Amino acid sequence: MKKLALHWKIIIGLFLGIFWAVLSGFFGWSEFTTNWLAPWGRIFINLLKLIAIPLVLFSIIGGIVGLGDPKQLGRMGLRTLLLYLLTTIVAVSIGLLIVNIAKPGKWMDDEVRTENRIAYELWAQQEGQEVHDDMNLLDDPANEALISKVAQRRGYDEDESVQSRLKLAANQKESGPLTFIEDMVPDNVFMAMSDNGSMLKIIFFALFFGIALLFVPAKHSKPVIDVVNGLSEVFLKMVELIMEGAPFFVFALLAGLVSEMAGDNPAKVFELFKGLTWYSLAVLLGLLLMAFVVYPTIMKFFVKRLTYKGFLKGISPAQMLAFSTSSSAATLPITLECVEENLKVDPKVSSFVLPIGATVNMDGTSLYQAVAVIFLAQMHMIDLNFGQQLTIILTATLASIGSAAIPSAGLVMLMIVLSSVGLNPAWIGIILPVDRILDMVRTVVNVTGDASVATVIGEVSKKKSA
């Protein structure tokens, strides 16, 4: 009997986890799921994070040393960043196109939208912001009772989870123009290595160390290179061992996640989507277009040796894991393995391109931000003009660079994008109920984008060196 492929095992584990969570809700087993199954999912993520930083560190150093020529490294770095930037702009543009055509925010009840508009105008008045569209419902005496009702209602900005993210977004906004570069340079590499959110600092150190190693005489650099390559092999073997248990870990992860959302009431899972159906569908359509149309089209033009099916089959284990963990960083070890073994990309290229992509390439996150901002504006009866939508493209693209490769980091970036066009950043509270599920899908897009760019860069580099 033919052995079942790993990605099919992961898919089975994924669906069994969701089925178990719904079943446990019906029979009142959610406490058992939370106490006895969910911890295994968290252990899985911790195992992946455990090896993510050392694997990135040694892979980048090994990749740079393997290239040998600093000029070749510079050319590859420039191609990588330009291609990542291009795919991000395409993602944001697709998001804006879909949300402007579908108009999911206008499918809501008119009375609800009127209340939302009044809430927005009250917020703008309080913050001293200029009101969009000059509608000014506050000036209409007919709305007096409605204004009073809305003014007394508890706002999203009082929610604790929203408040914590508001503080993070405020810190990001107050930072100077060169803060991004400043944050890349660690003052203590060992401190940076103890924090998975400091991936940019690790990448900077690895690049600096690898480049310096190229200029050290061979008799001194060879022992260091041998150690680096040896450690890379050890961490890759650790990835293989962890992935042996991936189907069970994914089952536990999904069971815990869905059970946490639904508790002993499985109907809650469906209620999460009910109120935000059109928004969720608009985001999902954009994400699916990126993952299954845009990236394969890019591959078709640049990597003719790979078929559409071959590409998706090769990257599918990383996609399934990205969906389960909602973390590009946690999925990185598996992405490296898929790209090198299944897509046959030179490890020198993949070990350089993929770690950078896990940090700076957030196509799925950028697309979701574009859809979310316009949706939230539409449901508050606000029409953003072309100039404001260009601002969204620019801000979402820049905000995605360096966005932490961890679950829901995009929410903090979304607040910055909302603020850039004069909207209330606390509105993220409206879309929070469905964010975790959408986060899983947009992480799949982020990881697929990383793999696509790495494969294209690998193919281009092969042709240039031929």
Side-chain angles (χ1 to χ4, degrees), residues 13-23 251 254-255 258 269 323 440:
L14 191 148
F15 281 108
L16 283 177
I18 296 170
F19 177 71
W20 173 271
V22 174
L23 199 69
F251 161 75
L254 265 293
V258 178
V269 177
F323 184 81
M440 296 160 86

Side-chain angles (χ1 to χ4, degrees), residues 37 98 181 240 314 342 346 405 410 453:
L37 284 179
I98 288 169
I181 296 172
E240 285 180 30
N342 301 342
D346 189 336
V453 170

Side-chain angles (χ1 to χ4, degrees), residues 69-88:
D69 182 6
K71 287 181 182 177
Q72 190 182 346
L73 176 68
R75 286 193 295 270
M76 186 187 291
L78 187 61
R79 285 190 207 116
T80 301
L81 292 174
L82 284 174
L83 198 47
Y84 278 141
L85 186 64
L86 181 65
T87 57
T88 302

Side-chain angles (χ1 to χ4, degrees), residues 153-221:
R153 193 171 61 196
R154 183 177 183 268
Y156 290 105
D157 47 351
E158 292 178 40
D159 187 275
E160 285 179 21
S161 61
V162 174
Q163 277 292 330
S164 63
R165 289 185 170 97
L166 273 169
K167 287 174 185 172
L168 282 170
N171 291 337
Q172 292 274 2
K173 276 177 68 185
E174 287 169 12
S175 58
L178 295 179
T179 302
F180 169 68
I181 296 172
E182 186 182 344
D183 287 345
M184 281 179 63
V185 184
D187 57 356
N188 186 324
V189 71
F190 297 103
M191 288 285 286
M193 286 178 72
S194 67
D195 178 15
N196 273 66
S198 300
M199 195 65 83
L200 267 180
K201 295 180 178 181
I202 302 300
I203 290 171
F204 174 85
F205 174 77
L207 288 169
F208 193 19
F209 189 94
I211 291 166
L213 206 54
L214 290 176
F215 294 97
V216 174
K219 63 176 181 179
H220 298 303
S221 63

Side-chain angles (χ1 to χ4, degrees), residues 215-235:
F215 294 97
V216 174
K219 63 176 181 179
H220 298 303
S221 63
K222 192 178 182 304
V224 179
I225 293 167
D226 289 341
V227 169
V228 166
N229 290 334
L231 286 168
S232 287
E233 287 301 315
V234 172
F235 284 111

Side-chain angles (χ1 to χ4, degrees), residues 108-117 153 379 381:
M108 288 192 163
D109 184 74
D110 285 341
E111 188 180 335
V112 173
R113 290 183 71 215
T114 303
E115 286 187 20
N116 289 340
R117 175 71 194 196
R153 193 171 61 196
M379 68 176 286
M381 301 175 82

Side-chain angles (χ1 to χ4, degrees), residues 68-144:
D69 182 6
K71 287 181 182 177
Q72 190 182 346
L73 176 68
R75 286 193 295 270
M76 186 187 291
L78 187 61
R79 285 190 207 116
T80 301
L81 292 174
L82 284 174
L83 198 47
Y84 278 141
L85 186 64
L86 181 65
T87 57
T88 302
I89 292 169
V90 169
V92 178
S93 302
I94 287 174
L96 286 176
L97 186 67
I98 288 169
V99 77
N100 279 296
I101 292 171
K103 295 180 169 49
K106 293 187 178 180
W107 286 78
M108 288 192 163
D109 184 74
D110 285 341
E111 188 180 335
V112 173
R113 290 183 71 215
T114 303
E115 286 187 20
N116 289 340
R117 175 71 194 196
I118 289 169
Y120 158 66
E121 290 184 13
L122 286 168
W123 169 81
Q125 192 179 70
Q126 183 184 340
E127 297 292 318
Q129 291 265 10
E130 188 179 337
V131 175
H132 289 283
D133 300 333
D134 297 321
M135 197 177 291
N136 293 322
L137 296 184
L138 295 183
D139 296 339
D140 188 348
N143 294 324
E144 196 172 320

